[in-house]
Amino acid sequence: MSFSLMQRLKNNEFSVELNGIKVELTRRLWILSFVFTVLISIFIIYGIYNAYQPERGVLREGNVTIEYEIKLDYQKTPKERERDKLLIEYAAATRTLVKVLQRPPVQRAPDVIGIGVEKCGTGALRALLRMHPMIKVAPREPHFFERPYLYKLGLKAYTPMLAKVLPHEISFEKTPAYFNWNLAAPEHLRELVPNAKLLLVLCNPTERTYSDYAQEIMMGHLNKNTTFEQMVDDLLVYSANLTAKMDESGTEMAYIEQLFKKGSTSHILTTGLYYYHLLRWYQVFNMSHIYIVDGEELISNPAKVIKEVQDFLHIPEFVLPENIPKGPYGFSCFAKPLVVERNGVLVAGTARIYCMTGKGRTRKGAWGVANPEYLEKLRSFFAPFNEKLYKLLGRRFNW
């Protein structure tokens, strides 16, 4: 009997051990099944994610490498689909034209010139325009028409500073100093490029003055120990006669020129007298040839600005609001529309998004906050000149 009991105990121990092994195997199989299921799910999700992502690639234009992406058709807005169709037709026509003409792009006189104003966002306007496939932008500011020693050399000295373009493309350059740095600049420009269309960015002259002050300090044109308050007081004393002579535009411009010769930094203040500078340009160019861009709107609503500029230049609306998303720092980002060839087929896409970060200076508060009392002094000084500008243009700005 004791033997039978021992045998049963051994059998029970074996059964318990066997059951334990089964439980452990079951647990491990369950874990493996769970891990396998998770991995399969990850692969499925990753596959779905990739399937719905824009196709990406790299395009080479000369020595420049451009990263791009191609949206799936359902990811595009109706306006984008319509634009892309026209863009592909344009690209195909351009390729045909190049084959027929068999001529490389050339540097020629510009079709569009940005004439100013300094510290009003001309860099942002340039970034907007360079997104357009038809517009080729000069690599740097030529500073040609406000420098007599360059201007007297003629087009042969000017065109090498500009972008290379095909016959149907638009050549653009911007030099903000044209607006106010040389009284003869409008005549010089009219003589060499009489058919050019002009773009002018205007911004709050009070804020522009402070921004210009910060730049002049940074560039070493103004003594670094000169405070904003000192500069404003000095310039307002020198320019006291401006308000008294407001209605004599010819005399006024002569005074501004004398003021500039007396102290080169006086332009920090007098650049903001837009009315008188613009009168000079309107004496040479028809008002319809100069498009005025609101500098504040250029920052707050660049999509509206580029649409209006495209209309002004009578070119297809290739740059859409979808190409100008807002960046993480409040500045605009740019996704240039382009066309690439994939397996022998032309496909529309966009270049990798580039975001502006600002130049530092006053925009990021690197120079602190201007003294409110002196900003008010400047507002009072500019106010009567602004009113004359509003009357001239038939529109008001929020200055």
Coordinates of all heavy atoms in Angstrom, one line a residue, residues 344-393:
G344 N 10.3 59.2 -67.8 CA 9.9 59.8 -69.1 C 8.7 60.6 -69.1 O 8.2 61.1 -70.1
V345 N 8.1 60.8 -67.9 CA 6.8 61.6 -67.8 C 7.1 62.9 -66.9 O 7.7 62.8 -65.8 CB 5.7 60.8 -67.2 CG1 4.4 61.6 -67.0 CG2 5.4 59.6 -68.0
L346 N 6.6 64.0 -67.3 CA 6.7 65.2 -66.5 C 5.7 65.3 -65.4 O 4.5 65.0 -65.6 CB 6.6 66.5 -67.4 CG 7.6 66.7 -68.5 CD1 7.3 68.0 -69.3 CD2 9.0 66.8 -67.9
V347 N 6.2 65.5 -64.2 CA 5.3 65.5 -63.0 C 5.6 66.8 -62.2 O 6.7 67.2 -62.1 CB 5.6 64.3 -62.1 CG1 4.7 64.3 -60.9 CG2 5.5 63.0 -62.9
A348 N 4.5 67.4 -61.7 CA 4.6 68.6 -60.9 C 4.9 68.3 -59.5 O 4.3 67.4 -58.9 CB 3.4 69.5 -61.1
G349 N 5.7 69.1 -58.9 CA 6.0 68.9 -57.4 C 6.4 70.2 -56.8 O 6.2 71.3 -57.4
T350 N 7.0 70.2 -55.6 CA 7.5 71.4 -55.0 C 8.8 71.1 -54.4 O 9.1 70.0 -53.9 CB 6.5 71.8 -53.8 OG1 6.3 70.8 -52.9 CG2 5.2 72.3 -54.4
A351 N 9.7 72.2 -54.3 CA 11.0 72.0 -53.7 C 10.8 71.9 -52.2 O 9.8 72.3 -51.6 CB 11.8 73.3 -54.1
R352 N 11.8 71.4 -51.6 CA 11.8 71.3 -50.1 C 11.5 72.7 -49.5 O 12.1 73.7 -49.9 CB 13.2 70.8 -49.6 CG 13.2 70.6 -48.1 CD 14.6 70.1 -47.7 NE 14.7 69.9 -46.3 CZ 15.8 69.5 -45.6 NH1 16.9 69.3 -46.4 NH2 15.8 69.4 -44.3
I353 N 10.7 72.7 -48.5 CA 10.3 74.0 -47.8 C 11.5 74.7 -47.2 O 12.3 74.1 -46.5 CB 9.2 73.7 -46.8 CG1 7.9 73.3 -47.4 CG2 9.0 74.9 -45.9 CD1 6.8 73.0 -46.5
Y354 N 11.5 76.0 -47.5 CA 12.6 76.8 -46.9 C 11.9 77.9 -46.1 O 10.9 78.6 -46.6 CB 13.4 77.5 -48.0 CG 14.1 78.8 -47.6 CD1 15.2 78.7 -46.8 CD2 13.6 80.0 -48.1 CE1 15.8 79.9 -46.4 CE2 14.2 81.2 -47.7 CZ 15.4 81.1 -46.9 OH 16.0 82.3 -46.5
C355 N 12.3 78.1 -44.9 CA 11.6 79.1 -44.0 C 12.6 80.2 -43.7 O 13.8 80.0 -43.4 CB 11.2 78.4 -42.7 SG 9.9 77.1 -42.9
M356 N 12.0 81.4 -43.7 CA 12.8 82.6 -43.3 C 12.9 82.6 -41.8 O 11.9 82.2 -41.1 CB 12.1 83.9 -43.9 CG 12.1 83.9 -45.4 SD 11.6 85.6 -46.0 CE 13.0 86.5 -45.7
T357 N 14.0 83.1 -41.3 CA 14.1 83.2 -39.9 C 14.4 84.7 -39.4 O 14.5 84.9 -38.3 CB 15.4 82.4 -39.4 OG1 16.5 82.8 -40.1 CG2 15.1 80.9 -39.7
G358 N 14.4 85.6 -40.4 CA 14.7 87.0 -40.1 C 16.1 87.2 -40.0 O 16.9 86.3 -40.0
K359 N 16.6 88.5 -40.0 CA 18.0 88.8 -40.0 C 18.5 89.1 -38.6 O 19.6 89.6 -38.5 CB 18.2 90.0 -40.9 CG 17.8 89.8 -42.4 CD 18.1 91.0 -43.2 CE 17.7 90.8 -44.7 NZ 17.9 92.1 -45.4
G360 N 17.7 88.8 -37.6 CA 18.1 89.2 -36.3 C 17.8 90.7 -36.1 O 16.7 91.1 -36.3
R361 N 18.8 91.5 -35.8 CA 18.6 92.9 -35.7 C 17.4 93.3 -34.8 O 17.1 92.7 -33.8 CB 18.6 93.6 -37.1 CG 19.8 93.3 -37.9 CD 19.7 93.8 -39.3 NE 20.8 93.3 -40.1 CZ 20.8 93.4 -41.4 NH1 19.9 93.9 -42.1 NH2 21.9 92.9 -42.1
T362 N 16.5 94.2 -35.3 CA 15.4 94.6 -34.5 C 14.3 93.5 -34.5 O 13.4 93.5 -33.7 CB 14.8 95.9 -35.0 OG1 14.5 95.8 -36.4 CG2 15.9 97.0 -34.9
R363 N 14.2 92.7 -35.6 CA 13.1 91.8 -35.7 C 13.0 90.8 -34.5 O 12.0 90.3 -34.1 CB 13.2 91.0 -37.0 CG 12.9 91.9 -38.2 CD 12.8 91.1 -39.5 NE 12.6 91.9 -40.7 CZ 13.5 92.3 -41.4 NH1 14.8 92.1 -41.1 NH2 13.3 93.1 -42.5
K364 N 14.2 90.4 -34.0 CA 14.2 89.4 -32.9 C 14.5 90.1 -31.6 O 14.7 89.5 -30.6 CB 15.3 88.4 -33.2 CG 15.0 87.4 -34.3 CD 16.1 86.4 -34.4 CE 15.7 85.3 -35.5 NZ 16.7 84.3 -35.6
G365 N 14.5 91.4 -31.6 CA 14.7 92.1 -30.3 C 16.1 92.2 -29.9 O 16.4 92.5 -28.7
A366 N 17.1 91.9 -30.8 CA 18.5 91.9 -30.5 C 18.9 93.2 -30.0 O 19.9 93.3 -29.2 CB 19.3 91.4 -31.6
W367 N 18.3 94.3 -30.4 CA 18.7 95.7 -30.0 C 17.7 96.2 -29.0 O 17.7 97.4 -28.8 CB 18.7 96.5 -31.3 CG 19.8 96.1 -32.2 CD1 19.7 95.2 -33.2 CD2 21.1 96.5 -32.2 NE1 20.9 95.0 -33.9 CE2 21.8 95.8 -33.3 CE3 21.9 97.4 -31.5 CZ2 23.1 96.0 -33.6 CZ3 23.2 97.6 -31.8 CH2 23.8 96.9 -32.8
G368 N 17.0 95.4 -28.4 CA 16.0 95.9 -27.4 C 14.8 96.6 -28.0 O 14.6 96.5 -29.2
V369 N 14.1 97.3 -27.1 CA 12.9 97.9 -27.5 C 13.2 99.4 -27.6 O 13.8 100.0 -26.7 CB 11.7 97.7 -26.6 CG1 10.5 98.4 -27.0 CG2 11.5 96.2 -26.5
A370 N 12.8 100.1 -28.7 CA 13.0 101.5 -28.8 C 12.2 102.3 -27.8 O 11.2 101.9 -27.4 CB 12.6 102.0 -30.2
N371 N 12.8 103.4 -27.4 CA 12.2 104.3 -26.4 C 10.9 104.8 -27.0 O 10.8 105.5 -28.0 CB 13.1 105.5 -26.2 CG 12.6 106.4 -25.1 OD1 11.5 106.6 -24.9 ND2 13.6 107.0 -24.3
P372 N 9.7 104.5 -26.3 CA 8.4 104.9 -26.8 C 8.3 106.4 -27.0 O 7.6 106.8 -28.0 CB 7.5 104.4 -25.7 CG 8.2 103.3 -25.0 CD 9.7 103.7 -25.1
E373 N 8.9 107.2 -26.2 CA 8.8 108.6 -26.3 C 9.4 109.1 -27.6 O 8.9 110.0 -28.3 CB 9.5 109.3 -25.1 CG 9.6 110.8 -25.2 CD 10.4 111.4 -24.1 OE1 10.8 110.7 -23.2 OE2 10.7 112.6 -24.3
Y374 N 10.5 108.5 -28.0 CA 11.2 108.9 -29.2 C 10.5 108.3 -30.5 O 10.6 108.9 -31.6 CB 12.7 108.5 -29.2 CG 13.5 109.6 -28.4 CD1 13.4 109.6 -27.0 CD2 14.2 110.6 -29.1 CE1 14.1 110.5 -26.3 CE2 14.8 111.5 -28.4 CZ 14.8 111.5 -27.0 OH 15.5 112.5 -26.3
L375 N 9.9 107.2 -30.3 CA 9.1 106.6 -31.4 C 7.9 107.6 -31.7 O 7.5 107.8 -32.8 CB 8.6 105.2 -31.1 CG 9.6 104.1 -31.1 CD1 8.9 102.8 -30.7 CD2 10.3 104.0 -32.4
E376 N 7.3 108.1 -30.6 CA 6.2 109.1 -30.8 C 6.7 110.3 -31.5 O 6.0 110.9 -32.3 CB 5.6 109.4 -29.4 CG 4.3 110.1 -29.5 CD 3.3 109.4 -30.4 OE1 3.1 108.2 -30.3 OE2 2.6 110.1 -31.1
K377 N 7.9 110.8 -31.1 CA 8.5 111.9 -31.8 C 8.6 111.7 -33.3 O 8.3 112.6 -34.1 CB 9.9 112.2 -31.2 CG 10.0 113.0 -29.9 CD 11.4 113.3 -29.6 CE 11.5 114.1 -28.3 NZ 12.9 114.6 -28.0
L378 N 9.1 110.5 -33.7 CA 9.2 110.2 -35.1 C 7.8 110.1 -35.8 O 7.6 110.6 -36.9 CB 9.9 108.9 -35.3 CG 11.4 108.9 -35.0 CD1 12.0 107.5 -35.0 CD2 12.2 109.8 -36.0
R379 N 6.8 109.5 -35.1 CA 5.5 109.5 -35.6 C 5.0 110.8 -35.9 O 4.4 111.1 -37.0 CB 4.5 108.7 -34.7 CG 4.8 107.2 -34.6 CD 3.7 106.5 -33.9 NE 4.0 105.1 -33.6 CZ 4.6 104.7 -32.4 NH1 4.8 105.6 -31.5 NH2 4.9 103.5 -32.3
S380 N 5.2 111.8 -35.0 CA 4.7 113.1 -35.2 C 5.4 113.8 -36.4 O 4.8 114.5 -37.1 CB 4.9 113.9 -33.9 OG 4.2 113.4 -32.8
F381 N 6.7 113.5 -36.5 CA 7.5 114.1 -37.6 C 7.0 113.6 -38.9 O 6.8 114.3 -39.9 CB 9.0 113.7 -37.4 CG 9.8 114.1 -38.6 CD1 10.2 115.4 -38.9 CD2 10.3 113.1 -39.5 CE1 10.9 115.7 -40.0 CE2 11.0 113.4 -40.6 CZ 11.4 114.7 -40.8
F382 N 6.8 112.2 -39.0 CA 6.4 111.6 -40.3 C 4.9 111.8 -40.7 O 4.6 111.7 -41.9 CB 6.7 110.1 -40.3 CG 8.1 109.7 -40.4 CD1 8.8 109.0 -39.5 CD2 8.9 110.1 -41.6 CE1 10.1 108.7 -39.6 CE2 10.2 109.8 -41.7 CZ 10.9 109.1 -40.7
A383 N 4.1 112.1 -39.7 CA 2.6 112.2 -39.9 C 2.2 113.1 -41.1 O 1.5 112.6 -42.0 CB 1.9 112.6 -38.6
P384 N 2.7 114.3 -41.2 CA 2.2 115.2 -42.3 C 2.7 114.7 -43.7 O 2.0 114.8 -44.7 CB 2.8 116.6 -42.0 CG 3.9 116.3 -41.0 CD 3.5 115.1 -40.2
F385 N 3.9 114.1 -43.7 CA 4.5 113.6 -44.9 C 3.7 112.3 -45.3 O 3.4 112.1 -46.5 CB 5.9 113.2 -44.7 CG 6.8 114.4 -44.4 CD1 7.3 114.5 -43.1 CD2 7.1 115.3 -45.3 CE1 8.1 115.6 -42.7 CE2 7.9 116.4 -45.0 CZ 8.4 116.6 -43.7
N386 N 3.3 111.5 -44.4 CA 2.5 110.3 -44.7 C 1.1 110.7 -45.3 O 0.6 110.1 -46.2 CB 2.2 109.5 -43.4 CG 3.5 108.8 -42.9 OD1 4.5 108.7 -43.6 ND2 3.5 108.4 -41.6
E387 N 0.5 111.8 -44.7 CA -0.8 112.2 -45.2 C -0.7 112.6 -46.7 O -1.5 112.4 -47.5 CB -1.3 113.4 -44.4 CG -1.8 113.0 -43.0 CD -2.9 112.0 -43.1 OE1 -3.8 112.1 -44.0 OE2 -2.9 111.1 -42.2
K388 N 0.4 113.3 -47.1 CA 0.6 113.7 -48.5 C 0.8 112.4 -49.3 O 0.4 112.4 -50.5 CB 1.9 114.6 -48.6 CG 1.7 115.9 -47.9 CD 2.9 116.8 -48.0 CE 3.0 117.5 -49.4 NZ 1.9 118.5 -49.7
L389 N 1.5 111.4 -48.8 CA 1.7 110.2 -49.5 C 0.3 109.5 -49.8 O 0.1 109.0 -50.9 CB 2.6 109.2 -48.7 CG 2.8 107.8 -49.3 CD1 3.6 107.9 -50.6 CD2 3.5 106.9 -48.3
Y390 N -0.5 109.4 -48.7 CA -1.8 108.8 -48.9 C -2.6 109.4 -50.0 O -3.3 108.8 -50.7 CB -2.6 108.8 -47.5 CG -1.9 108.2 -46.4 CD1 -2.2 108.6 -45.0 CD2 -1.0 107.2 -46.5 CE1 -1.6 108.0 -44.0 CE2 -0.3 106.6 -45.4 CZ -0.7 107.0 -44.2 OH 0.0 106.4 -43.1
K391 N -2.6 110.8 -50.0 CA -3.3 111.5 -51.0 C -2.8 111.2 -52.4 O -3.5 111.1 -53.4 CB -3.2 113.0 -50.7 CG -4.1 113.9 -51.6 CD -4.1 115.3 -51.2 CE -5.0 116.2 -52.1 NZ -4.9 117.6 -51.7
L392 N -1.5 111.1 -52.5 CA -0.8 110.8 -53.8 C -1.2 109.5 -54.3 O -1.6 109.3 -55.5 CB 0.7 110.9 -53.7 CG 1.5 110.5 -54.9 CD1 1.3 111.6 -56.0 CD2 3.0 110.4 -54.5
L393 N -1.2 108.5 -53.4 CA -1.5 107.1 -53.9 C -3.0 106.8 -53.9 O -3.4 105.8 -54.5 CB -0.8 106.1 -52.9 CG 0.7 106.2 -52.9 CD1 1.3 105.2 -51.9 CD2 1.3 105.9 -54.3

